[in-house]
Amino acid sequence: MADDSGTDRRAGRPVLVAVAWPYASGSRHLGHLAGAYLPADIYARHQRLVGNRVLMVSGSDVHGTPITVRADAEGVTPRDIADRYHAEFVADWDRLGISWDLYTSTGTENHAAVTQDLFLRLLENGHIDRRTSNQYYDAEAGRFLPDRYIEGTCPHCHYAEARGDQCEDCGRTLDPEELVDPRSKITGGTPEVRQTEHFYLRLSDFSEALGAWLDGRQGWRRHVLNFSKGWVEDGLHDRAITRDLDWGVEVPVDDLGPGKRIYVWFEAVIGYLSASKEWAQLQGDPEAWRDWWEGDEARSVYFIGKDNIPFHTIIWPGMLLGYGGLNLPSDVPANQYVTFKGGKASASRGVGLTIGEGLDLFQADALRYALAASLPEQSDTDLSIDEIGRRINEELVATWGNLVNRVLSMVHSTCGGVVPEVGDRTADDLAVLATVDGALDVVTDLIERVELRAALRTGMDAAATVNAYLNATEPWKLARSDPERAQAVLGTALAAVAGVRVALSPYLPFSTVALDDELGPVDAWQRREPVPGSPIGKPVPLFAKVDVVELLAGDDG
């Protein structure tokens, strides 16, 4: 089991990077990217470089009522909608350089089998039971209404377009009967209450165990831990896990009769396990997934937005406890919301740029940089085209892009187009290299704690230090008065650039690879001295400056 560098990966710690499964019901926006997918990729890339065995999995959530709602509106099948957006997501991830070990979907036979196995184990262990309950029914449409077919006013924040399962405005999970003035999304009429029978997850069985587990979490983000503990303290409620649907994973027992499916909120989180098993099968070693799910040394980090906190800190851990023998999450570094001009980014409401639109406007690495510099790790972050462009121009281009270009240009023109022999270095030379090496250590500590914004700032500060070193030593002047010293300075600057490149590589994969010919591949978390005599061609700028005025002129707001 070796990576492309020939390094044996079996010795590293297994790290599961579990990433939120996007609904294949519409285009994802930059808020989703900043909330879960970009942070996960940065973290996974760093973990691989420090020698850990990373398994980063996710996939398109192709079930659930958001898809059937859209299919009904467009007059097509749910499969048509799911296939369309799954293909779009895969294309977006490729353009962004998201380094999945497996990106799949919940529409596979493997996922259905793993879901049914987990259902049956929980049923056998007494953590699932059958109950009769009241559910909204649209008499005009002649059908029961799953949660997302109902809208109304949130009883907590009074948002008028809350869904039957969750309020997008305040993030509270809801039951449909809690909505004020409920209405059917199919006909717009007021639904009536009728009795139906469903399976329930006895979440209350795990109250004590989950409370003790949460009390033992160290280093978790405060808002995640406080929110989760609050759920437990308020009392955990048993939740229906089937719905009156014909789209989704089939219930593996026929007690309820036809027309029932396992509901998406129960099924989708199982995707982390089913994707791991699918990956193992694709490797030709069907049991390989166990290293990440059963090993004592394994670590599992779940990247989600804050609206998904209870599903990953309460419900999924409860399901894992009920199943038995599988690792609970090591960390759930849920991000806060990204807002666009004051409004929460929302795919369903069309607020914010889609990922595809963002990539049409900006280079992939430039977009990755601007979002990473603004990640909503502790509080909501407001984004705009203007702010993205400003960060690209004033930070990425002016600091890192400028540094790389000036060093490579001077080496090309001053040192005969090759990496120079350095010889003995002065205290100033050694100091700048020590700063870069120290930055690599700091970045590692920060990324381990999933403080990705601070880690990026540390890398950029190191780049600024190298720029300051150049300004102080003025190798362009030394080239005339002391050519040997000029080569030593430029060789040192090139070595420092090589180190900063490592620190920034999890954030900037495309521009990192673009320097492989000059500096060699980044295949470990360490600064490596460029090889004297290696060719340095005339550089091409890594990043294009953004014309913010032109972009804003084309922004419809």
Side-chain angles (χ1 to χ4, degrees):
M1 186 181 293
D3 62 17
D4 292 340
S5 67
T7 302
D8 189 348
R9 301 290 287 277
R10 288 173 296 185
R13 182 183 193 182
V15 177
L16 176 70
V17 179
V19 194
W21 290 57
Y23 271 133
S25 59
S27 300
R28 301 296 92 179
H29 52 64
L30 295 187
H32 292 115
L33 180 55
Y37 305 101
L38 179 59
D41 188 58
I42 293 166
Y43 183 84
R45 286 176 176 276
H46 173 264
Q47 289 294 312
R48 294 187 187 105
L49 287 172
V50 298
N52 287 330
R53 298 167 56 203
V54 171
L55 178 58
M56 184 167 89
V57 296
S58 185
S60 300
D61 186 350
V62 302
H63 296 137
T65 48
I67 292 169
T68 58
V69 167
R70 186 163 197 140
D72 290 345
E74 295 188 14
V76 298
T77 69
R79 173 62 64 186
D80 292 332
I81 298 295
D83 288 349
R84 179 198 310 169
Y85 288 106
H86 176 71
E88 179 181 308
F89 299 163
V90 170
D92 285 344
W93 307 143
D94 184 60
R95 293 176 69 187
L96 283 162
I98 305 296
S99 57
W100 304 109
D101 290 285
L102 181 67
Y103 185 82
T104 180
S105 85
T106 58
T108 66
E109 292 182 4
N110 167 76
H111 176 72
V114 175
T115 297
Q116 291 168 344
D117 171 66
L118 199 138
F119 179 100
L120 290 171
R121 176 77 70 86
L122 289 171
L123 182 65
E124 178 184 348
N125 290 344
H127 301 303
I128 289 177
D129 60 28
R130 192 175 65 186
R131 306 180 190 182
T132 298
S133 63
N134 293 326
Q135 186 174 334
Y136 281 124
Y137 184 87
D138 188 325
E140 183 179 346
R143 60 184 289 187
F144 282 100
L145 298 176
D147 299 349
R148 292 230 179 173
Y149 277 83
I150 307 164
E151 288 184 339
T153 299
C154 175
H156 304 288
C157 71
H158 309 298
Y159 176 60
E161 296 179 9
R163 306 188 307 252
D165 62 342
Q166 189 171 42
C167 175
E168 274 203 336
D169 195 55
C170 70
R172 297 279 193 102
T173 57
L174 301 170
D175 289 319
E177 58 269 20
E178 295 181 76
L179 293 175
V180 179
D181 298 325
R183 58 189 179 274
S184 167
K185 288 198 68 167
I186 300 175
T187 64
T190 301
E192 60 187 63
V193 176
R194 293 192 182 183
Q195 284 194 335
T196 185
E197 195 172 28
H198 286 292
F199 282 108
Y200 276 68
L201 173 66
R202 297 174 55 87
L203 196 59
S204 58
D205 289 353
F206 311 110
S207 295
E208 185 175 343
L210 287 172
W213 174 68
L214 287 169
D215 285 341
R217 297 308 90 202
Q218 300 293 326
W220 280 32
R221 291 181 179 172
R222 183 176 301 176
H223 69 274
V224 174
L225 204 51
N226 288 345
F227 188 96
S228 304
K229 288 182 175 181
W231 254 59
V232 175
E233 291 166 1
D234 289 344
L236 297 181
H237 301 287
D238 302 340
R239 297 175 64 91
I241 59 172
T242 54
R243 287 294 188 274
D244 296 280
L245 291 169
D246 57 7
W247 177 247
V249 174
E250 293 185 1
V251 182
V253 294
D254 59 5
D255 302 38
L256 301 182
K260 309 283 185 178
R261 290 291 187 274
I262 296 176
Y263 200 40
V264 68
W265 72 258
F266 176 86
E267 166 224 330
V269 289
I270 300 172
Y272 303 116
L273 178 60
S274 68
S276 301
K277 292 188 174 185
E278 182 181 346
W279 169 85
Q281 292 163 10
L282 292 171
Q283 306 309 302
D285 183 2
E287 301 303 310
W289 63 273
R290 296 184 186 277
D291 285 355
W292 285 268
W293 286 91
E294 297 178 347
D296 292 339
E297 296 301 315
R299 178 173 170 79
S300 54
V301 184
Y302 289 72
F303 288 85
I304 60 169
K306 73 175 178 181
D307 52 344
N308 279 323
I309 288 173
F311 296 100
H312 293 77
T313 63
I314 302 292
I315 295 172
W316 178 229
M319 292 162 64
L320 291 170
L321 287 169
Y323 187 87
L326 299 177
N327 293 341
L328 272 61
S330 303
D331 196 4
V332 185
N335 272 346
Q336 304 271 11
Y337 290 139
V338 170
T339 59
F340 287 87
K341 299 179 180 177
K344 176 182 172 288
S346 168
S348 62
R349 304 206 309 270
V351 179
L353 289 175
T354 68
I355 293 174
E357 290 169 342
L359 287 166
D360 289 342
L361 292 176
F362 307 104
Q363 290 174 276
D365 271 6
L367 181 61
R368 287 174 63 111
Y369 173 83
L371 294 180
S374 307
L375 291 176
E377 293 172 343
Q378 302 296 340
S379 60
D380 293 351
T381 298
D382 196 67
L383 280 180
S384 64
I385 289 177
D386 183 51
E387 175 64 9
I388 292 171
R390 184 196 67 77
R391 285 198 178 274
I392 293 170
N393 289 341
E394 296 180 11
E395 298 173 14
L396 183 63
V397 174
T399 301
W400 176 235
N402 176 61
L403 172 62
V404 172
N405 192 67
R406 73 191 296 207
V407 170
L408 293 180
S409 294
M410 285 189 287
V411 170
H412 174 75
S413 61
T414 304
C415 304
V418 298
V419 177
E421 291 279 359
V422 174
D424 293 333
R425 285 185 165 127
T426 68
D428 289 341
D429 301 339
L430 296 173
V432 73
L433 295 178
T435 296
V436 171
D437 292 342
L440 285 171
D441 292 337
V442 172
V443 169
T444 283
D445 290 340
L446 291 169
I447 292 182
E448 287 284 355
R449 300 200 300 268
V450 200
E451 296 179 19
L452 306 181
R453 286 176 63 171
L456 178 58
R457 285 197 301 271
T458 299
M460 292 296 286
D461 287 346
T465 297
V466 183
N467 266 320
Y469 166 78
L470 287 172
N471 292 337
T473 54
E474 298 181 319
W476 52 90
K477 292 182 179 178
L478 291 171
R480 294 189 298 271
S481 61
D482 189 348
E484 185 175 340
R485 176 62 185 150
Q487 290 203 359
V489 168
L490 291 174
T492 298
L494 197 60
V497 164
V500 176
R501 176 175 170 242
V502 174
L504 298 178
S505 63
Y507 301 84
L508 308 173
F510 295 104
S511 52
T512 297
V513 171
L515 295 173
D516 280 359
D517 288 344
E518 289 78 16
L519 300 176
V522 173
D523 53 17
W525 194 257
Q526 62 185 71
R527 177 181 61 83
R528 289 177 175 163
E529 290 277 344
V531 179
S534 299
I536 299 292
K538 186 176 182 180
V540 176
L542 291 177
F543 313 106
K545 194 169 184 180
V546 174
D547 188 333
V548 176
V549 173
E550 181 179 328
L551 289 179
L552 290 175
D555 179 21
D556 294 330

